[in-house]
Amino acid sequence: MTSLIAVLAAQPRGGFDMTFLIMIIAIFAIMYFFMIRPQQKRQKEIQKFRNSLEPGMEVVTAGGVHGTIKQVDDAKGTVTLEVASGVKIEVEKTHIFANAAATQQAR
């Protein structure tokens, strides 16, 4: 009789395990607060910077090109940079990543 009770007690129980659900929720919460939320904050800051671009600012592009903004065309989403005296290039606004003056001060 005691062996029958031991066998029945050792069988896995069917049904829903609440600890599994709590662990899954905890993993998603950790991922949100340590990965997703900071990335969204950085993206908002970059977008705010790109919207504030104006002629005369010194900027750095994604390719590492330093230049001074001469014209901003919001309709086309482009920026005209002067990279040397008389040399102007047109760059997508989304490829402007940093304010050159702020990067030089950080060094």
Side-chain angles (χ1 to χ4, degrees):
M1 184 73 163
T2 56
S3 63
L4 179 62
I5 294 172
V7 169
L8 290 175
Q11 289 181 351
R13 291 182 285 168
F16 185 71
D17 190 10
M18 192 63 152
T19 57
F20 178 72
L21 180 64
I22 292 171
M23 292 297 283
I24 294 296
I25 291 172
I27 289 170
F28 280 113
I30 289 170
M31 284 178 51
Y32 177 76
F33 284 109
F34 287 109
M35 294 174 66
I36 297 169
R37 191 167 175 234
Q39 181 64 27
Q40 288 176 341
K41 186 177 178 183
R42 264 185 251 121
Q43 287 297 100
K44 285 180 184 179
E45 289 173 2
I46 291 171
Q47 188 62 38
K48 183 179 174 184
F49 168 71
R50 287 180 183 152
N51 289 337
S52 70
L53 293 176
E54 56 188 34
M57 289 179 69
E58 292 182 10
V59 294
V60 180
T61 66
V65 177
H66 291 247
T68 305
I69 297 177
K70 291 299 176 183
Q71 181 183 359
V72 178
D73 188 357
D74 289 326
K76 290 186 347 185
T78 60
V79 174
T80 303
L81 294 179
E82 184 174 34
V83 294
S85 74
V87 180
K88 295 179 183 176
I89 60 172
E90 194 169 345
V91 180
E92 288 289 323
K93 201 173 185 181
T94 57
H95 286 25
I96 304 292
F97 276 96
N99 188 346
T103 7
Q104 289 175 356
Q105 289 175 357
R107 291 182 185 174

